[in-house]
Amino acid sequence: IQQYEQAMVMAKLHGDEGAQVVCLNNLADWKINTGSYQEAIELRQECLQLSRKINSRIGVGRSLIGMAKAHTLLENFSEARTLLNKGLPAVMSAGDIEGELHSSLNLAYLAVRNDDIPRACELYRQVLERSLAAPDHACAVFAQLALEQLAAGELPQPAILPPQPLTPTVLNDPET
């Protein structure tokens, strides 16, 4: 977290608004990973304003999707859905596959919470297939685990990135 906070200070000093968007999004991800959901929402709101200012569709989409994830974790499902309805088209129109995958994971979890298990399974399956074809396979890990949990009659949890860096070794370790 300190590295992102330091990078944010440097980006502000240099007036690099694009770097500020990246720093804010990454810092918000870590806030979510540490359970600081409200702080994550505030960072994403700041990021959303800056992304709109510099006309970054990816930044806008990622900000909305990140806020949706925080609201999902706070069980504000209606707000999460509203944010996803805005964020998903933004990342899709920008060609942001990772943002699209994260949106789909969140939508799948919302389907689970609405007791629409067939829809959740379909979304998790799509994420699994698309993620395996993407450069980063992290979403595939969450989708596979969620499908296994649903098959066992258990409810999956929302996808949160682990606090350790994802490497091929971590991805192939069933305990992580």
CSV table of all heavy atoms in Angstrom, one decimal, residues 21 24-25 28 32 40-41 43-52 56-71 83 87 90-91 96:
chain,number,residue,atom,x,y,z
A,21,VAL,N,-4.6,7.9,-12.1
A,21,VAL,CA,-5.7,6.9,-12.3
A,21,VAL,C,-5.2,5.5,-12.0
A,21,VAL,O,-5.9,4.8,-11.2
A,21,VAL,CB,-6.3,7.0,-13.7
A,21,VAL,CG1,-7.2,5.9,-14.0
A,21,VAL,CG2,-7.0,8.3,-13.9
A,24,LEU,N,-4.6,5.2,-8.1
A,24,LEU,CA,-5.8,5.2,-7.4
A,24,LEU,C,-6.5,3.8,-7.5
A,24,LEU,O,-7.0,3.3,-6.5
A,24,LEU,CB,-6.8,6.3,-7.8
A,24,LEU,CG,-6.4,7.7,-7.4
A,24,LEU,CD1,-7.2,8.7,-8.2
A,24,LEU,CD2,-6.6,7.9,-5.9
A,25,ASN,N,-6.6,3.3,-8.7
A,25,ASN,CA,-7.2,2.0,-8.9
A,25,ASN,C,-6.5,0.9,-8.2
A,25,ASN,O,-7.1,0.0,-7.5
A,25,ASN,CB,-7.3,1.7,-10.4
A,25,ASN,CG,-8.6,2.1,-11.0
A,25,ASN,OD1,-9.7,1.8,-10.5
A,25,ASN,ND2,-8.6,2.8,-12.1
A,28,ALA,N,-7.0,1.3,-4.4
A,28,ALA,CA,-8.3,0.8,-4.1
A,28,ALA,C,-8.4,-0.7,-4.0
A,28,ALA,O,-9.1,-1.2,-3.2
A,28,ALA,CB,-9.3,1.4,-5.1
A,32,ILE,N,-9.6,-2.9,-0.8
A,32,ILE,CA,-10.6,-4.0,-0.8
A,32,ILE,C,-10.0,-5.3,-0.2
A,32,ILE,O,-10.6,-6.0,0.6
A,32,ILE,CB,-11.1,-4.2,-2.2
A,32,ILE,CG1,-12.1,-3.1,-2.5
A,32,ILE,CG2,-11.8,-5.6,-2.3
A,32,ILE,CD1,-12.7,-3.2,-3.9
A,40,ALA,N,-12.0,2.2,-0.2
A,40,ALA,CA,-11.8,1.8,-1.6
A,40,ALA,C,-12.9,2.5,-2.4
A,40,ALA,O,-12.5,3.0,-3.5
A,40,ALA,CB,-12.0,0.3,-1.7
A,41,ILE,N,-14.1,2.6,-1.9
A,41,ILE,CA,-15.1,3.4,-2.7
A,41,ILE,C,-14.7,4.8,-2.9
A,41,ILE,O,-14.8,5.4,-4.0
A,41,ILE,CB,-16.5,3.2,-2.0
A,41,ILE,CG1,-17.0,1.8,-2.1
A,41,ILE,CG2,-17.5,4.2,-2.6
A,41,ILE,CD1,-18.2,1.5,-1.2
A,43,LEU,N,-11.7,6.1,-2.9
A,43,LEU,CA,-10.6,6.2,-3.9
A,43,LEU,C,-11.1,6.0,-5.3
A,43,LEU,O,-10.7,6.7,-6.2
A,43,LEU,CB,-9.5,5.1,-3.6
A,43,LEU,CG,-8.7,5.4,-2.3
A,43,LEU,CD1,-7.9,4.1,-1.9
A,43,LEU,CD2,-7.7,6.5,-2.6
A,44,ARG,N,-12.0,5.1,-5.5
A,44,ARG,CA,-12.6,4.8,-6.8
A,44,ARG,C,-13.4,6.0,-7.3
A,44,ARG,O,-13.4,6.4,-8.5
A,44,ARG,CB,-13.5,3.6,-6.8
A,44,ARG,CG,-12.8,2.3,-6.5
A,44,ARG,CD,-12.0,1.8,-7.7
A,44,ARG,NE,-11.5,0.5,-7.3
A,44,ARG,CZ,-10.8,-0.3,-8.1
A,44,ARG,NH1,-10.4,0.1,-9.2
A,44,ARG,NH2,-10.4,-1.5,-7.7
A,45,GLN,N,-14.1,6.7,-6.4
A,45,GLN,CA,-14.9,7.9,-6.8
A,45,GLN,C,-13.9,9.0,-7.2
A,45,GLN,O,-14.2,9.7,-8.2
A,45,GLN,CB,-15.7,8.4,-5.6
A,45,GLN,CG,-16.9,7.5,-5.3
A,45,GLN,CD,-17.6,7.9,-4.0
A,45,GLN,OE1,-17.0,8.4,-3.1
A,45,GLN,NE2,-18.9,7.5,-4.0
A,46,GLU,N,-12.8,9.2,-6.5
A,46,GLU,CA,-11.8,10.1,-7.0
A,46,GLU,C,-11.2,9.7,-8.3
A,46,GLU,O,-11.0,10.6,-9.2
A,46,GLU,CB,-10.6,10.2,-5.9
A,46,GLU,CG,-9.6,11.2,-6.2
A,46,GLU,CD,-8.5,11.2,-5.2
A,46,GLU,OE1,-8.7,10.6,-4.1
A,46,GLU,OE2,-7.4,11.8,-5.4
A,47,CYS,N,-11.0,8.4,-8.5
A,47,CYS,CA,-10.5,7.9,-9.8
A,47,CYS,C,-11.5,8.1,-10.9
A,47,CYS,O,-11.1,8.5,-12.0
A,47,CYS,CB,-10.1,6.4,-9.6
A,47,CYS,SG,-9.4,5.7,-11.1
A,48,LEU,N,-12.7,7.9,-10.6
A,48,LEU,CA,-13.8,8.1,-11.6
A,48,LEU,C,-13.8,9.6,-12.1
A,48,LEU,O,-13.9,9.8,-13.3
A,48,LEU,CB,-15.2,7.7,-11.0
A,48,LEU,CG,-16.4,7.9,-11.9
A,48,LEU,CD1,-16.3,7.0,-13.1
A,48,LEU,CD2,-17.6,7.6,-11.1
A,49,GLN,N,-13.7,10.5,-11.2
A,49,GLN,CA,-13.7,11.9,-11.6
A,49,GLN,C,-12.5,12.2,-12.4
A,49,GLN,O,-12.6,12.9,-13.5
A,49,GLN,CB,-13.7,12.8,-10.3
A,49,GLN,CG,-15.0,12.8,-9.6
A,49,GLN,CD,-14.9,13.6,-8.3
A,49,GLN,OE1,-13.9,14.0,-7.8
A,49,GLN,NE2,-16.1,13.8,-7.6
A,50,LEU,N,-11.3,11.8,-12.1
A,50,LEU,CA,-10.1,12.0,-12.8
A,50,LEU,C,-10.2,11.3,-14.2
A,50,LEU,O,-9.8,11.9,-15.2
A,50,LEU,CB,-8.9,11.6,-12.0
A,50,LEU,CG,-7.5,12.0,-12.5
A,50,LEU,CD1,-7.5,13.5,-12.7
A,50,LEU,CD2,-6.5,11.5,-11.5
A,51,SER,N,-10.7,10.1,-14.2
A,51,SER,CA,-10.8,9.3,-15.5
A,51,SER,C,-11.7,10.1,-16.4
A,51,SER,O,-11.5,10.1,-17.6
A,51,SER,CB,-11.3,7.9,-15.2
A,51,SER,OG,-10.4,7.2,-14.4
A,52,ARG,N,-12.8,10.6,-15.9
A,52,ARG,CA,-13.7,11.4,-16.8
A,52,ARG,C,-13.0,12.6,-17.3
A,52,ARG,O,-13.2,13.0,-18.5
A,52,ARG,CB,-15.0,11.7,-16.1
A,52,ARG,CG,-15.9,10.5,-15.9
A,52,ARG,CD,-17.2,10.8,-15.2
A,52,ARG,NE,-18.1,9.7,-15.2
A,52,ARG,CZ,-19.0,9.4,-14.3
A,52,ARG,NH1,-19.1,10.2,-13.2
A,52,ARG,NH2,-19.8,8.4,-14.4
A,56,SER,N,-10.7,8.8,-20.0
A,56,SER,CA,-10.2,7.4,-20.0
A,56,SER,C,-11.4,6.4,-19.8
A,56,SER,O,-11.9,6.3,-18.7
A,56,SER,CB,-9.2,7.2,-18.9
A,56,SER,OG,-8.9,5.8,-18.8
A,57,ARG,N,-11.9,5.8,-20.9
A,57,ARG,CA,-13.0,4.8,-20.7
A,57,ARG,C,-12.6,3.6,-19.8
A,57,ARG,O,-13.4,3.2,-19.1
A,57,ARG,CB,-13.4,4.3,-22.1
A,57,ARG,CG,-14.2,5.3,-22.9
A,57,ARG,CD,-14.7,4.7,-24.2
A,57,ARG,NE,-13.5,4.4,-25.0
A,57,ARG,CZ,-13.5,3.6,-26.1
A,57,ARG,NH1,-14.6,3.0,-26.5
A,57,ARG,NH2,-12.4,3.4,-26.8
A,58,ILE,N,-11.3,3.2,-20.0
A,58,ILE,CA,-10.9,2.1,-19.1
A,58,ILE,C,-10.9,2.5,-17.6
A,58,ILE,O,-11.4,1.8,-16.8
A,58,ILE,CB,-9.5,1.6,-19.5
A,58,ILE,CG1,-9.6,0.8,-20.8
A,58,ILE,CG2,-8.9,0.7,-18.4
A,58,ILE,CD1,-8.3,0.3,-21.4
A,59,GLY,N,-10.4,3.8,-17.4
A,59,GLY,CA,-10.4,4.3,-16.0
A,59,GLY,C,-11.8,4.4,-15.5
A,59,GLY,O,-12.1,4.1,-14.3
A,60,VAL,N,-12.7,4.9,-16.3
A,60,VAL,CA,-14.1,5.1,-15.9
A,60,VAL,C,-14.7,3.7,-15.6
A,60,VAL,O,-15.3,3.5,-14.5
A,60,VAL,CB,-15.0,5.8,-16.9
A,60,VAL,CG1,-16.5,5.7,-16.6
A,60,VAL,CG2,-14.6,7.3,-17.0
A,61,GLY,N,-14.5,2.8,-16.5
A,61,GLY,CA,-15.1,1.4,-16.3
A,61,GLY,C,-14.5,0.7,-15.1
A,61,GLY,O,-15.2,0.1,-14.3
A,62,ARG,N,-13.2,0.8,-14.9
A,62,ARG,CA,-12.5,0.1,-13.8
A,62,ARG,C,-13.0,0.8,-12.5
A,62,ARG,O,-13.1,0.1,-11.4
A,62,ARG,CB,-11.0,0.2,-13.9
A,62,ARG,CG,-10.4,-0.6,-15.0
A,62,ARG,CD,-10.3,-2.1,-14.6
A,62,ARG,NE,-9.7,-2.9,-15.6
A,62,ARG,CZ,-8.4,-3.3,-15.6
A,62,ARG,NH1,-7.6,-3.0,-14.6
A,62,ARG,NH2,-8.0,-4.0,-16.6
A,63,SER,N,-13.2,2.1,-12.5
A,63,SER,CA,-13.6,2.8,-11.2
A,63,SER,C,-15.0,2.3,-10.9
A,63,SER,O,-15.3,1.9,-9.7
A,63,SER,CB,-13.7,4.3,-11.5
A,63,SER,OG,-12.4,4.8,-11.7
A,64,LEU,N,-15.9,2.2,-11.8
A,64,LEU,CA,-17.3,1.8,-11.6
A,64,LEU,C,-17.3,0.3,-11.1
A,64,LEU,O,-18.0,-0.1,-10.2
A,64,LEU,CB,-18.2,2.0,-12.8
A,64,LEU,CG,-18.4,3.4,-13.2
A,64,LEU,CD1,-18.9,3.5,-14.6
A,64,LEU,CD2,-19.3,4.1,-12.2
A,65,ILE,N,-16.5,-0.5,-11.8
A,65,ILE,CA,-16.5,-2.0,-11.4
A,65,ILE,C,-15.9,-2.2,-10.1
A,65,ILE,O,-16.3,-3.0,-9.3
A,65,ILE,CB,-15.7,-2.7,-12.5
A,65,ILE,CG1,-16.5,-2.8,-13.8
A,65,ILE,CG2,-15.4,-4.1,-12.1
A,65,ILE,CD1,-15.6,-3.1,-15.0
A,66,GLY,N,-14.8,-1.4,-9.7
A,66,GLY,CA,-14.2,-1.5,-8.4
A,66,GLY,C,-15.2,-1.1,-7.3
A,66,GLY,O,-15.3,-1.7,-6.2
A,67,MET,N,-16.0,0.0,-7.6
A,67,MET,CA,-17.0,0.4,-6.6
A,67,MET,C,-18.0,-0.6,-6.4
A,67,MET,O,-18.5,-0.9,-5.3
A,67,MET,CB,-17.6,1.8,-7.0
A,67,MET,CG,-16.7,3.0,-6.7
A,67,MET,SD,-17.6,4.5,-6.9
A,67,MET,CE,-17.6,4.7,-8.7
A,68,ALA,N,-18.4,-1.3,-7.6
A,68,ALA,CA,-19.4,-2.4,-7.5
A,68,ALA,C,-18.9,-3.5,-6.6
A,68,ALA,O,-19.6,-4.1,-5.8
A,68,ALA,CB,-19.7,-2.9,-8.9
A,69,LYS,N,-17.6,-3.8,-6.8
A,69,LYS,CA,-17.0,-4.9,-6.0
A,69,LYS,C,-17.1,-4.6,-4.5
A,69,LYS,O,-17.5,-5.4,-3.7
A,69,LYS,CB,-15.6,-5.2,-6.3
A,69,LYS,CG,-15.0,-6.4,-5.6
A,69,LYS,CD,-13.5,-6.6,-5.9
A,69,LYS,CE,-13.4,-7.1,-7.3
A,69,LYS,NZ,-12.0,-7.5,-7.5
A,70,ALA,N,-16.8,-3.3,-4.1
A,70,ALA,CA,-16.8,-2.9,-2.7
A,70,ALA,C,-18.3,-3.0,-2.2
A,70,ALA,O,-18.5,-3.4,-1.1
A,70,ALA,CB,-16.2,-1.5,-2.6
A,71,HIS,N,-19.2,-2.5,-3.0
A,71,HIS,CA,-20.6,-2.5,-2.6
A,71,HIS,C,-21.1,-4.0,-2.5
A,71,HIS,O,-21.9,-4.3,-1.6
A,71,HIS,CB,-21.5,-1.7,-3.6
A,71,HIS,CG,-21.4,-0.2,-3.3
A,71,HIS,ND1,-22.1,0.4,-2.2
A,71,HIS,CD2,-20.8,0.7,-4.0
A,71,HIS,CE1,-21.8,1.7,-2.2
A,71,HIS,NE2,-21.0,1.9,-3.3
A,83,LEU,N,-23.9,0.0,-10.6
A,83,LEU,CA,-22.6,0.3,-11.0
A,83,LEU,C,-22.0,-0.6,-12.1
A,83,LEU,O,-21.4,-0.1,-13.0
A,83,LEU,CB,-21.6,0.3,-9.8
A,83,LEU,CG,-21.9,1.5,-8.8
A,83,LEU,CD1,-21.2,1.2,-7.4
A,83,LEU,CD2,-21.4,2.8,-9.3
A,87,GLY,N,-20.5,0.2,-15.6
A,87,GLY,CA,-19.0,-0.1,-15.8
A,87,GLY,C,-18.8,-1.1,-16.9
A,87,GLY,O,-17.8,-1.0,-17.6
A,90,ALA,N,-18.6,0.3,-20.3
A,90,ALA,CA,-17.4,1.1,-20.5
A,90,ALA,C,-16.1,0.3,-20.8
A,90,ALA,O,-15.4,0.6,-21.7
A,90,ALA,CB,-17.2,2.0,-19.2
A,91,VAL,N,-16.0,-0.8,-20.0
A,91,VAL,CA,-14.8,-1.6,-20.2
A,91,VAL,C,-14.9,-2.4,-21.5
A,91,VAL,O,-13.9,-2.6,-22.2
A,91,VAL,CB,-14.4,-2.6,-19.0
A,91,VAL,CG1,-14.1,-1.8,-17.8
A,91,VAL,CG2,-15.6,-3.5,-18.7
A,96,ASP,N,-11.3,-3.7,-22.7
A,96,ASP,CA,-10.6,-4.1,-21.5
A,96,ASP,C,-11.1,-5.5,-21.0
A,96,ASP,O,-12.1,-5.6,-20.3
A,96,ASP,CB,-10.9,-3.0,-20.4
A,96,ASP,CG,-10.2,-3.3,-19.1
A,96,ASP,OD1,-9.4,-4.3,-19.0
A,96,ASP,OD2,-10.5,-2.6,-18.1
